[in-house]
Amino acid sequence: MMVLIFEERLMHMQTYPLIGIAGNHRQDNTEEDRYILSYAPNGFVRGLEKAKAIPVIIPISTPEFAKEFISRVDGLLLAGGQDVSPLLYGEEPHLNLARTYPARDAFEIELIKEAYRQHKPIFAVCRGLQILNVALGGTLYQDIESQYDNISVKHTQKTMPSQPTHTIQIASGSELSRVLGTTTPVNSYHHQAVKQLASNFVPVAWSTDGLIEAFESKSEDQSVVAVQWHPELLIEDSNVMQGLFDNFVERVNRSKQNTK
Ligand code: MN
């Protein structure tokens, strides 16, 4: 009897998938804090917990480890952060390029390639959307205010992160529209954006000035939802964006079922 209960608990635990959050480095340059810290924004941890997944942070590491990391997780979450190096898509740095971090770029590109090789679902946010596009052969506007002619929306809001400031239009029939409907307000903290979308992807949401705010995978073999805003900063004040985390965990669970 005891054994049975124990096994039931084990089976229950196994229904919670393990999600790897690609981490970042922080270096405090104060006298006391000259070491590097590995971290991920806690909103991602909260969103995954609430969606009944176990979050783990994948620290920036040697690209050769990507295969091992990905083989141990059920899904990959790509978080926000630094600008993507334009050298990766054949451009020199524009004058308005912000800080880049080549070691993170290199490691995340390998994580993405491995997630594709192993068909592990991906959820990408902000920089995560951008590095995902570049990893699959797309390009970016390095700085939308100086490079995107039709810009008319403020994409670097001054308002607090928990408040949406601009609207997006969502393609009906997309995975995203099932979660958010065909229009929704979002927060916005990006000065880069998709220019040429990689051929693996289909755009599914746009700001009113025409920038791509979300894309998904064209292939049934690879589940991807990528968004340009920050849902992890919107989940404490509203349940709407928690739906993206729930959707990600559903996609991961479905993918696990299919590979059994
Ligand atoms: Mn925006």
Side-chain angles (χ1 to χ4, degrees):
M1 194 59 188
M2 282 304 288
V3 172
L4 215 109
I5 290 167
F6 180 69
E7 279 180 356
E8 257 175 36
R9 279 203 190 136
L10 244 162
M11 281 173 69
H12 184 65
M13 279 175 66
Q14 283 168 346
T15 63
Y16 286 65
L18 190 69
I19 306 291
I21 306 170
N24 198 2
H25 278 167
R26 168 176 278 172
Q27 185 157 27
D28 294 331
N29 283 317
T30 58
E31 200 58 40
E32 315 82 68
D33 270 334
R34 256 195 209 137
Y35 43 80
I36 294 173
L37 305 170
S38 288
Y39 75 98
N42 206 57
F44 294 115
V45 173
R46 289 290 297 135
L48 289 171
E49 281 172 351
K50 288 204 264 185
K52 297 202 182 332
I54 308 296
V56 288
I57 298 171
I58 302 177
I60 296 170
S61 184
T62 173
E64 291 81 64
F65 284 5
K67 183 179 178 183
E68 293 292 328
F69 276 117
I70 294 298
S71 69
R72 283 162 169 81
V73 296
D74 299 308
L76 174 65
L77 196 157
L78 298 163
Q82 300 90 338
D83 280 6
V84 174
S85 171
L87 295 175
L88 294 168
Y89 48 93
E91 290 184 13
E92 291 299 313
H94 185 274
L95 289 172
N96 294 340
L97 185 72
R99 185 192 296 207
T100 60
Y101 198 18
R104 186 180 182 191
D105 290 347
F107 182 59
E108 288 187 343
I109 286 172
E110 280 310 307
L111 288 178
I112 291 162
K113 287 182 176 166
E114 272 307 322
Y116 262 78
R117 285 189 196 110
Q118 300 182 34
H119 304 293
K120 302 278 170 85
I122 297 173
F123 179 34
V125 168
C126 198
R127 166 203 156 79
L129 166 148
Q130 295 163 2
I131 191 79
L132 179 56
N133 183 47
V134 170
L136 276 293
T139 66
L140 304 175
Y141 293 108
Q142 293 188 44
D143 178 67
I144 49 179
E145 284 193 30
S146 42
Q147 295 185 315
Y148 180 59
D149 291 342
N150 296 329
I151 190 140
S152 64
V153 168
K154 187 155 187 66
H155 292 277
T156 51
Q157 72 183 54
K158 301 271 193 248
T159 308
M160 66 171 91
S162 63
Q163 302 300 308
T165 58
H166 78 67
T167 56
I168 56 167
Q169 310 301 317
I170 302 172
S172 56
S174 61
E175 184 87 12
L176 199 65
S177 72
R178 296 203 291 116
V179 181
L180 299 174
T182 53
T183 182
T184 194
V186 297
N187 56 6
S188 197
Y189 288 95
H190 59 111
H191 84 113
Q192 304 206 301
V194 170
K195 187 168 156 189
Q196 191 71 44
L197 188 61
S199 60
N200 301 63
F201 304 125
V202 56
V204 296
W206 301 264
S207 52
T208 54
D209 56 1
L211 285 171
I212 292 176
E213 287 274 344
F215 62 73
E216 294 175 4
S217 173
K218 277 183 186 169
S219 163
E220 299 254 316
D221 290 352
Q222 180 62 48
S223 178
V224 172
V225 172
V227 303
Q228 184 58 76
W229 65 95
H230 285 274
E232 82 282 8
L233 301 174
L234 294 167
I235 56 175
E236 295 303 334
D237 288 5
S238 153
N239 285 326
V240 176
M241 291 297 168
Q242 179 60 35
L244 287 173
F245 290 93
D246 298 346
N247 168 267
F248 180 35
V249 174
E250 276 166 34
R251 291 189 288 118
V252 167
N253 286 333
R254 222 179 300 142
S255 147
K256 279 182 80 178
Q257 286 297 321
N258 292 342
T259 52
K260 259 180 195 164

